[in-house]
Amino acid sequence: MAKQFGHSNIAVIGMEWGDEGKGKIIDFLAERADVVARFNGGNNAGHTIEAEGKKIVLHLIPSGVMRKNKLNIVGNGLVIDPKVLLDEIKFLEKNRIKISPENLVISENAHIILPHHIEEDKKIGGKIGTTARGIGPAYTDKAARIGLKAYELIDDAIFKKRFGSEEFYNEYRQYAENLKPYVNDASAIINYAIHNSKKVIFEGAQGTLLDIDHGTYPFVTSSSCIAGGVCTGLGISPKKVQSVLGVCKAYKTRVGLGPFPTEISGSTGEKIQKTGKEFGATTGRQRRVGWFDALIGKYAVMVNGVDSVALTKLDVFTTIDKLKICVAYKYKGNAIKNFTTNMRILQNCQPIYEEFDGWWDDIAKVRTYDALPNNAKKYLKRIEELLKVPISIISVGPKREQTIVARNEFLI
Ligand code: GDP
Ligand code: IMO
Ligand code: MG
């Protein structure tokens, strides 16, 4: 039985434009869990884990996989590229991480990415800078009710009827054969686990501002990335989600196009980009970098019902002289204090900042809140005040052990 801390389950979601460090935080918390269940997205995601001397980037398989004896569930809310999933299984096995139906379940209701989805994404995705993995077109077919579900992929009669004359038929028959043992009724399995008091982590991909409904549309992905997506993406009741952990970076980043009010240009931006190694885990694209935006933070707390925050990458700020937090936007001469997804307004907002003194002590080896430099504590306190939620975890490096737990009662 996993160790007892606060809640019996927790949703871990991104509070910004993705890449907040969800993979790292979920792997850290997975020690306390029995099940890790991902609820949205596809291989547009890249979740990095550095532990046990390995660095692993996961695209589809949940971030509990580096821990022994955990059940990892790929929910119905995902779109799955079967080739990518099988390659990921092979990659993990090469890294001596054994994958079997004992530790991996794929929802029979997840939708399948097919070659034409990828082709189409390559053609039309450029306008918003998608990852070109076929994500948008696959969700489009799902909504249009012409998509292919995992149970249909592995049912030879159904698949033959729909795709028997396609060039890719034989290739996909082989994928289906290899994936068959994993495909199951994920919703029933997860509800059974919850009913039997198992500890569950619900893993989000992307982040609040990439959410199809609540993000910076049209510069978003095509799935529900917010905490509400847990219920639709896994088939569980909202009454069952006990707590929400929002993962956010000490500064902000964004890959792809779209407005970014606190974006930093010049040498400080470059320094953060370099120290933070801000390159996309999926496409390798350079991430745009910006100061902490409290309007985004408050917005993410609101739409997700964030109970506490895991703040990552605090170490990247070490040796930066002055730090800034955006506390309002200036729009047409007025100050706005609440974030907006109205692009016409957001594109024309200028940030209003508060300034903070930085610190020079290396914090990468700090393991308690008390041992952090005073200026780092001041910065964290101000974020807690502005967002009106506690910071439960502070991450001071990419490795599993570079993690400070400040408040256990908000976790599992
Ligand atoms: P995710 O998509 O939210 O899981 O995040 P990614 O894995 O795409 O990007 C986060 C990057 O930051 C990865 O390279 C992590 O290894 C790294 N990372 C996570 N937490 C920290 C931290 O506290 N400090 C530093 N320096 N790197 C971190
Ligand atoms: P994780 O889970 C960062 C971005 C893309 C693009 C937009 C739409 O690692 O945080 P899509 O291919 O989804 O249609 O692209 O969304 N995007 C991400 N950015 N992290 C991600 O996932 C992302 N998944 C999609 O860059 O701007
Ligand atoms: Mg990522």
Side-chain angles (χ1 to χ4, degrees), residues 89 226 235 290 301:
I89 292 173
I226 62 165
V301 167

Side-chain angles (χ1 to χ4, degrees), residues 72-207:
N72 295 280
I73 298 181
V74 176
N76 61 275
L78 278 87
V79 286
I80 297 172
D81 183 327
K83 181 177 186 315
V84 172
L85 181 53
L86 288 163
D87 284 348
E88 195 158 303
I89 292 173
K90 270 192 223 143
F91 165 78
L92 290 172
E93 295 202 319
K94 251 192 224 147
N95 280 279
R96 298 185 305 284
I97 298 165
K98 180 97 191 75
I99 305 294
S100 76
E102 297 282 296
N103 68 350
L104 179 68
V105 165
I106 298 161
S107 168
E108 59 190 9
N109 286 322
H111 277 251
I112 301 299
I113 297 179
L114 292 168
H116 70 272
H117 294 133
I118 302 170
E119 287 313 309
E120 200 175 322
D121 201 7
K122 281 182 185 155
K123 263 188 244 149
I124 59 167
K127 270 181 259 163
I128 56 165
T130 71
T131 59
R133 300 296 195 266
I135 308 298
Y139 279 115
T140 301
D141 280 2
K142 174 179 173 175
R145 292 153 297 175
I146 54 170
L148 180 79
K149 289 188 169 198
Y151 83 83
E152 294 176 301
L153 173 73
I154 62 167
D155 183 320
D156 199 35
I158 298 178
F159 194 75
K160 191 165 195 173
K161 197 164 160 207
R162 284 190 62 174
F163 302 105
S165 60
E166 294 282 349
E167 229 172 81
F168 61 77
Y169 176 77
N170 285 331
E171 184 188 349
Y172 278 68
R173 284 305 339 118
Q174 192 54 51
Y175 298 153
E177 228 19 72
N178 295 345
L179 284 179
K180 209 175 213 162
Y182 300 99
V183 177
N184 213 324
D185 184 346
S187 167
I189 292 171
I190 198 158
N191 277 288
Y192 183 80
I194 294 170
H195 184 76
N196 286 290
S197 308
K198 297 288 183 205
K199 295 239 169 189
V200 183
I201 297 174
F202 307 114
E203 172 168 354
Q206 290 83 48

Side-chain angles (χ1 to χ4, degrees), residues 19-20 82 92 116 193 231 288 334 337:
D19 300 333
E20 297 90 348
L92 290 172
H116 70 272
C231 303
R288 300 154 68 193
N334 298 316
K337 291 225 157 174

Side-chain angles (χ1 to χ4, degrees), residues 4-305:
Q4 297 293 311
F5 286 95
H7 301 281
S8 56
N9 69 51
I10 193 164
V12 182
I13 53 89
M15 291 176 70
E16 295 134 19
W17 287 288
D19 300 333
E20 297 90 348
K22 298 175 292 293
K24 179 204 152 148
I25 298 298
I26 292 164
D27 165 74
F28 174 82
L29 288 175
E31 186 186 14
R32 309 169 175 197
D34 301 297
V35 180
V36 181
R38 190 157 140 203
F39 63 85
N40 76 300
N43 60 316
N44 49 351
H47 296 178
T48 315
I49 302 171
E50 286 191 39
E52 296 163 23
K54 296 171 199 165
K55 179 177 170 176
I56 297 247
V57 182
L58 297 164
H59 301 288
L60 283 164
I61 294 181
S63 302
V65 80
M66 297 267 294
R67 302 280 194 177
K68 290 212 170 60
N69 305 320
K70 311 293 173 191
L71 177 61
N72 295 280
I73 298 181
V74 176
N76 61 275
L78 278 87
V79 286
I80 297 172
D81 183 327
K83 181 177 186 315
V84 172
L85 181 53
L86 288 163
D87 284 348
E88 195 158 303
I89 292 173
K90 270 192 223 143
F91 165 78
L92 290 172
E93 295 202 319
K94 251 192 224 147
N95 280 279
R96 298 185 305 284
I97 298 165
K98 180 97 191 75
I99 305 294
S100 76
E102 297 282 296
N103 68 350
L104 179 68
V105 165
I106 298 161
S107 168
E108 59 190 9
N109 286 322
H111 277 251
I112 301 299
I113 297 179
L114 292 168
H116 70 272
H117 294 133
I118 302 170
E119 287 313 309
E120 200 175 322
D121 201 7
K122 281 182 185 155
K123 263 188 244 149
I124 59 167
K127 270 181 259 163
I128 56 165
T130 71
T131 59
R133 300 296 195 266
I135 308 298
Y139 279 115
T140 301
D141 280 2
K142 174 179 173 175
R145 292 153 297 175
I146 54 170
L148 180 79
K149 289 188 169 198
Y151 83 83
E152 294 176 301
L153 173 73
I154 62 167
D155 183 320
D156 199 35
I158 298 178
F159 194 75
K160 191 165 195 173
K161 197 164 160 207
R162 284 190 62 174
F163 302 105
S165 60
E166 294 282 349
E167 229 172 81
F168 61 77
Y169 176 77
N170 285 331
E171 184 188 349
Y172 278 68
R173 284 305 339 118
Q174 192 54 51
Y175 298 153
E177 228 19 72
N178 295 345
L179 284 179
K180 209 175 213 162
Y182 300 99
V183 177
N184 213 324
D185 184 346
S187 167
I189 292 171
I190 198 158
N191 277 288
Y192 183 80
I194 294 170
H195 184 76
N196 286 290
S197 308
K198 297 288 183 205
K199 295 239 169 189
V200 183
I201 297 174
F202 307 114
E203 172 168 354
Q206 290 83 48
T208 305
L209 298 185
L210 290 172
D211 182 90
I212 180 77
D213 291 289
H214 303 285
T216 46
Y217 190 94
F219 304 103
V220 293
T221 190
S222 304
S223 68
S224 297
C225 319
I226 62 165
V230 169
C231 303
T232 53
L234 287 166
I236 63 164
S237 161
K239 290 182 285 188
K240 294 275 160 55
V241 181
Q242 289 195 338
S243 57
V244 179
L245 176 67
V247 185
C248 88
K249 272 183 186 164
Y251 48 92
K252 304 296 118 193
T253 60
R254 158 159 230 190
V255 239
L257 306 174
F260 188 177
T262 66
E263 188 162 12
I264 319 170
S265 53
S267 61
T268 307
E270 271 166 37
K271 185 171 171 185
I272 295 172
Q273 200 271 329
K274 281 214 177 72
T275 319
K277 299 198 179 79
E278 294 300 350
F279 293 94
T282 295
T283 56
R285 288 179 290 176
Q286 188 162 320
R287 295 175 183 145
R288 300 154 68 193
V289 170
W291 293 115
F292 192 93
D293 185 331
L295 287 79
I296 293 177
K298 285 193 294 182
Y299 177 72
V301 167
M302 177 181 79
V303 297
N304 294 290

